[in-house]
Amino acid sequence: QKKNIVSVTYEKLINNPVDEMSQALQKLTHQETDIKKLQKKIMHNSRLITLLIISMLLWGGGWSALKILTNQAEIEIILFWRFFIMSIAFIPILIYLNKPIAISKSSLKYVLSSSVLNVAFMVSSYYGIKYGTAGAGGVAITTLSPIMTFLLVYLVFRKNLNMNQAIGLIIGFIGGFILLELNDFSLFLNGSNI
């Protein structure tokens, strides 16, 4: 590649050698800068991928931990400690981002409805994991979450699904169906999967 950049015709070198050589050196310098930027981007992306893998391992382990907890404690205790620890964990993030803990009146209805839905999700996942399996619960929730989110967005904001989103939801639903090894669609809606 360096040969291609520095390759200049003999006539151009004879007519104006300084300009041609300086242009070739500038191109070479730009290419080296681009390579360094690409290396930084790859390193940054590899860190992000590592963090994503760690978060997925922690998220997946949460379902097994919840399965163990359902046999050890009642739902009220588990939900209290879960929400308490989450609230405490957000304090350093808010301090780091320098964000005030203030809710405007216009967003209050969304915060309250989101809180109710989050509590309903926690209660449902508790009973689903208690009477079902941790793996099936994790897969079913991951499969149904985007579908339910879209339904809520459609009902509240009247926003339609575009083609890419529809394809993504269908692929996700098929993936969940395969992961749960369901031979019959009715099994997906049966028992503790929902």
Side-chain angles (χ1 to χ4, degrees):
Q1 287 182 344
K2 287 184 181 178
K3 254 185 180 178
N4 294 337
I5 290 169
V6 185
S7 66
V8 287
T9 61
Y10 180 71
E11 291 91 18
K12 286 183 180 177
L13 274 174
I14 293 208
N15 293 338
N16 205 346
V18 177
D19 283 347
E20 288 301 320
M21 288 306 291
S22 66
Q23 285 177 5
L25 287 172
Q26 281 179 349
K27 287 180 183 177
L28 186 60
T29 306
H30 286 304
Q31 185 184 24
E32 287 174 0
T33 306
D34 290 344
I35 290 170
K36 287 178 183 175
K37 284 180 184 177
L38 184 63
Q39 287 172 337
K40 283 183 183 178
K41 192 173 183 180
I42 290 169
M43 289 300 294
H44 179 68
N45 285 345
S46 65
R47 284 190 205 120
L48 289 177
I49 290 169
T50 303
L51 289 172
L52 283 171
I53 290 169
I54 291 169
S55 66
M56 286 288 91
L57 289 171
L58 292 172
W59 179 84
W63 296 106
S64 303
L66 183 59
K67 179 67 176 178
I68 294 166
L69 281 173
T70 57
N71 297 322
Q72 305 293 326
E74 293 301 315
I75 186 170
E76 298 86 5
I77 296 167
I78 293 173
L79 289 183
F80 168 79
W81 283 109
R82 196 168 187 174
F83 282 114
F84 179 75
I85 292 169
M86 280 192 293
S87 301
I88 297 298
F90 269 101
I91 292 173
I93 296 169
L94 291 172
I95 291 170
Y96 176 75
L97 295 174
N98 198 18
K99 297 278 185 184
I101 306 175
I103 300 170
S104 65
K105 287 183 181 180
S106 61
S107 63
L108 191 61
K109 62 182 178 182
Y110 297 115
V111 171
L112 290 174
S113 60
S114 173
S115 300
V116 169
L117 289 171
N118 201 2
V119 170
F121 165 75
M122 295 291 183
V123 170
S124 301
S125 64
Y126 173 86
Y127 284 113
I129 297 299
K130 184 173 184 172
Y131 299 112
T133 63
V139 171
I141 287 171
T142 306
T143 302
L144 292 176
S145 286
I147 295 170
M148 299 306 288
T149 301
F150 163 70
L151 290 175
L152 284 171
V153 168
Y154 177 76
L155 292 172
V156 174
F157 300 107
R158 298 288 182 212
K159 188 175 180 183
N160 290 328
L161 199 66
N162 66 36
M163 184 59 76
N164 288 340
Q165 292 167 331
I167 291 169
L169 286 175
I170 291 167
I171 291 171
F173 190 77
I174 292 169
F177 194 82
I178 292 168
L179 284 172
L180 287 172
E181 298 176 358
L182 301 175
N183 300 327
D184 184 7
F185 179 75
S186 63
L187 293 173
F188 188 76
L189 304 173
N190 201 3
S192 300
N193 286 334
I194 53 173

